[in-house]
Amino acid sequence: MTCWDTIQAYGLRSIGIGERLLPREGFDLCQQFTLIGSGLIWNVYFGVLALIIGFVLANVVAMAKASNSAWLRKPAEWFILLFRGSPLFIQFFLAYFLLLRVKQSTGGVIDLTAATQGALIVLFLNTAAYSAEIFYGAFRSVPKGEVEAADAYGMTGWIKFKRVVWPTMMRLAWPAYTNEAIFLFHATTLVFFSGFPTWRQQGDALYYAQYFADKTFNPFVPYPILAFYFIILTLIIIQIFGAVNRRLNRHVPTERRQKLRIRPQIIR
Amino acid sequence: MGLYWSFLTVFVLLAITAPTALLFGFGGATAARSTVAPLRWFGKTYIAVVRGVPDIAFFLFFVIALDQAFEWVRHQALCPDWPDAIRQGNDFVVCDAAKLPLSTAPQWIHEIYGFFVAVLTFAIVFGAFAANVLFGAMNAVPKAQMETAVAYGMTRRQSFWRVMVPQMWVYALPGLSNLWMVLIKATPLLFLLGIEDIVYWARELGGTKTAKFTSYPHGDWRLWYFLFLLVFYLCFTKVSEIVLERIMKRLTRGQATLGGAQ
């Protein structure tokens, strides 16, 4: 089997296209690179979707937390505490059994126990909570002068938020939000190690890396491959978010611009 | 009974790992700002690699890698005239005397050894994070202070230990307290390392073995066990937050910063 055959057989294995059985022997570098790379599709799927939907909810929650009304503020605070204060791993387990219970009680009508849906919901809520805290912090540090200038122009309510407050808030929050995005992608590797079952061995990159490590009893090949893929993924995220950051900061003098700095403290 | 022990396991792990990781971090940060180039490269690579890769991949990697590294070293030392290669295809074979723990050892040795490898793994991963925090904190100590130390005729070593190290903790504390929270939240990953921790017991006790011949008097209670774990962790992080806030207040007292002025 040449390497090209392997890529054809296993390149899309994680989404069910190609060879049904995982390789049983050989385990050459080509197989490992192909399968782990194919698993990366799921990491990107979870990361991108959770990030996009989570971004919207995060803005809503951040505004709710900044609101004067206790009816809005309290639920937002509890939501953030719940998802930031507990381990993501436990959240996955809890969500799985909760969704299992929902499935049983509705007789299988509402079935979200598959990893592709259930885990996505957890990741989405989780990143929304972490990002909401970032956005809330940025909201609090929007310069007073800008808001006063908007008032002086006669802007109120939605117009003022849309044109003045929100763009500045995004600009201030962006470096921290980039880190959040990176660690969300890292967190996607947890999905298949928590309660969610793997359907027909269609797992993510870490799932296949562990498969090879178990089969060959040699961790020194699959995990560095996984690390290689994730470092590339991280670099791509930094590129995309860096471009957005430049656009958000295009009116700011160059020397005052905020640089993107990667801080590792916020794994969960 | 195992369930209660598993809570103790989590606390013991935290109690051992936190200082060890801090030590690793201190070593890493000192290495990263060393004047000896290879040592500096080592420190910087250590920090960069660990933070670029998902931590869970490291947990899975180091457990096997450390185990094999120990056995390999013991194999070289104890059985120098072993004829076969260690890595035979997909097997990793060392002589019996080099097995860790020895196959004749009682069960508790095996458990302690597994726990020890887990602690070491946690310390290596979190050491890199701590190294990054401490590296930043060392740079945050005002330059003027270090220059004053040099002006007083202190050597590099003296100014490092007498001026920089005592002062860097205040700058490091926000990062370190963040790290402590992350460490608490990483403890359920112990389950992946094969330690019988609280996640393991929540799954075991809550679940029913088989649908027909169930030895448990209840249905699927795993939902409630995990809900309990969630609340447990929530309380734990909340309490830590309050305690760390107190420590921060104490440390910043008398400092010429916004926190100290209050």
Side-chain angles (χ1 to χ4, degrees):
Chain A
M1 213 176 181
T2 63
C3 191
W4 178 239
D5 289 337
T6 310
I7 293 176
Q8 279 185 328
Y10 293 115
L12 295 173
R13 172 65 180 76
S14 65
I15 49 174
I17 300 171
E19 204 75 21
R20 236 175 71 77
L21 292 172
L22 291 182
R24 297 273 159 211
E25 71 253 324
F27 305 119
D28 52 1
L29 271 180
C30 181
Q31 278 181 355
Q32 305 206 4
F33 260 105
T34 314
L35 254 183
I36 295 174
S38 134
L40 206 64
I41 296 172
W42 282 119
N43 294 104
V44 173
Y45 161 85
F46 283 124
V48 169
L49 281 185
L51 207 59
I52 292 173
I53 322 171
F55 180 78
V56 180
L57 183 64
N59 275 297
V60 175
V61 174
M63 287 305 107
K65 192 179 175 185
S67 131
N68 287 325
S69 150
W71 288 103
L72 287 173
R73 197 175 63 242
K74 284 290 161 199
E77 277 172 2
W78 278 101
F79 175 75
I80 291 175
L81 177 73
L82 179 68
F83 280 97
R84 289 187 76 218
S86 60
L88 180 63
F89 201 51
I90 303 281
Q91 287 168 25
F92 274 132
F93 270 115
L94 187 66
Y96 176 66
F97 294 121
L98 197 68
L99 292 169
L100 206 62
R101 190 57 69 90
V102 169
K103 182 188 174 186
Q104 281 160 0
S105 58
T106 57
V109 180
I110 305 173
D111 183 7
L112 298 171
T113 49
T116 47
Q117 297 138 32
L120 186 62
I121 294 173
V122 178
L123 279 170
F124 146 64
L125 293 174
N126 190 279
T127 185
Y130 276 87
S131 320
E133 188 66 23
I134 294 171
F135 291 156
Y136 172 71
F139 176 80
R140 301 248 304 188
S141 46
V142 170
K144 236 192 166 92
E146 293 188 16
V147 184
E148 282 164 1
D151 286 336
Y153 271 103
M155 291 186 194
T156 47
W158 175 243
I159 298 280
K160 182 168 86 172
F161 178 75
K162 193 177 73 176
R163 294 200 185 153
V164 179
V165 177
W166 195 73
T168 309
M169 179 177 114
M170 278 302 117
R171 184 170 68 83
L172 295 176
W174 207 256
Y177 188 60
T178 308
N179 285 313
E180 160 61 24
I182 292 169
F183 287 105
L184 175 69
F185 273 92
H186 287 185
T188 56
T189 50
L190 274 176
V191 170
F192 291 102
F193 284 90
S194 50
F196 290 100
T198 323
W199 189 60
R200 287 190 189 161
Q201 295 187 313
Q202 296 173 8
D204 73 334
L206 186 62
Y207 176 83
Y208 289 125
Q210 207 205 13
Y211 173 82
F212 283 119
D214 281 353
K215 289 288 172 200
T216 60
F217 204 57
N218 180 2
F220 297 98
V221 179
Y223 289 124
I225 293 175
L226 178 78
F228 163 78
Y229 276 125
F230 263 94
I231 286 169
I232 289 185
L233 192 62
T234 307
L235 289 178
I236 294 173
I237 299 169
I238 291 175
Q239 281 298 319
I240 296 172
F241 276 74
V244 176
N245 191 42
R246 272 195 300 283
R247 188 171 160 77
L248 286 171
N249 278 297
R250 67 193 187 281
H251 62 287
V252 181
T254 331
E255 69 274 7
R256 273 178 47 216
R257 283 185 190 174
Q258 287 183 327
K259 289 254 169 54
L260 287 184
R261 279 198 57 217
I262 309 310
R263 294 196 186 79
Q265 287 98 316
I266 40 174
I267 58 163
R268 42 206 93 173
Chain B
M1 200 58 211
L3 179 67
Y4 305 118
W5 276 112
S6 64
F7 277 95
L8 197 67
T9 313
V10 169
F11 285 122
V12 169
L13 178 96
L14 279 174
I16 300 178
T17 312
T20 324
L22 206 57
L23 208 66
F24 272 57
F26 192 75
T30 325
R33 56 191 306 287
S34 152
T35 44
V36 187
L39 209 58
R40 188 171 63 235
W41 293 332
F42 169 75
K44 295 220 160 165
T45 326
Y46 171 51
I47 298 175
V49 168
V50 173
R51 73 191 198 189
V53 180
D55 51 335
I56 170 182
F58 269 99
F59 289 134
L60 294 175
F61 170 75
F62 272 119
V63 169
I64 313 181
L66 283 174
D67 191 39
Q68 290 190 356
F70 290 147
E71 290 197 342
W72 186 82
V73 169
R74 279 170 61 94
H75 180 85
Q76 298 294 336
L78 294 175
C79 324
D81 42 354
W82 184 259
D84 304 326
I86 293 184
R87 219 171 257 300
Q88 299 170 1
N90 292 333
D91 289 321
F92 184 86
V93 184
V94 291
C95 61
D96 282 340
K99 285 250 171 60
L100 252 185
L102 295 171
S103 42
T104 53
Q107 178 62 24
W108 65 271
I109 301 254
H110 282 264
E111 278 170 17
I112 294 282
Y113 176 71
F115 186 74
F116 167 73
V117 173
V119 166
L120 205 55
T121 309
F122 265 74
I124 289 173
V125 174
F126 281 90
F129 294 133
N132 197 47
V133 172
L134 292 181
F135 184 69
M138 284 177 184
N139 287 337
V141 172
K143 278 268 164 351
Q145 301 256 4
M146 293 304 287
E147 282 163 8
T148 313
V150 176
Y152 269 104
M154 288 190 193
T155 59
R156 253 186 85 83
R157 181 186 299 261
Q158 279 176 331
S159 55
F160 176 74
W161 283 109
R162 296 189 190 170
V163 179
M164 186 173 274
V165 174
Q167 291 201 62
M168 71 178 194
W169 296 111
V170 182
Y171 299 100
L173 199 70
L176 287 182
S177 56
N178 203 345
L179 205 60
W180 169 250
M181 299 295 201
V182 175
L183 185 62
I184 293 176
K185 285 190 267 170
T187 47
L189 296 178
L190 263 184
F191 164 68
L192 293 180
L193 308 186
I195 312 279
E196 295 181 357
D197 78 328
I198 39 188
V199 178
Y200 171 85
W201 283 109
R203 268 165 66 108
E204 285 292 305
L205 293 177
T208 44
K209 280 265 159 73
T210 49
K212 272 202 174 152
F213 305 105
T214 173
S215 55
Y216 296 99
H218 56 74
D220 196 344
W221 277 8
R222 280 178 292 187
L223 177 63
W224 309 116
Y225 275 100
F226 277 106
L227 195 64
F228 171 69
L229 281 191
L230 192 85
V231 173
F232 165 71
Y233 275 107
L234 269 183
C235 296
F236 199 10
T237 45
K238 194 76 198 164
V239 169
S240 305
E241 209 172 88
I242 295 166
V243 171
L244 287 166
E245 188 86 358
R246 288 244 172 97
I247 296 177
M248 189 67 197
K249 247 195 200 132
R250 232 204 140 78
L251 275 181
T252 48
R253 191 183 287 167
Q255 284 246 329
T257 57
L258 271 181
Q262 281 164 3

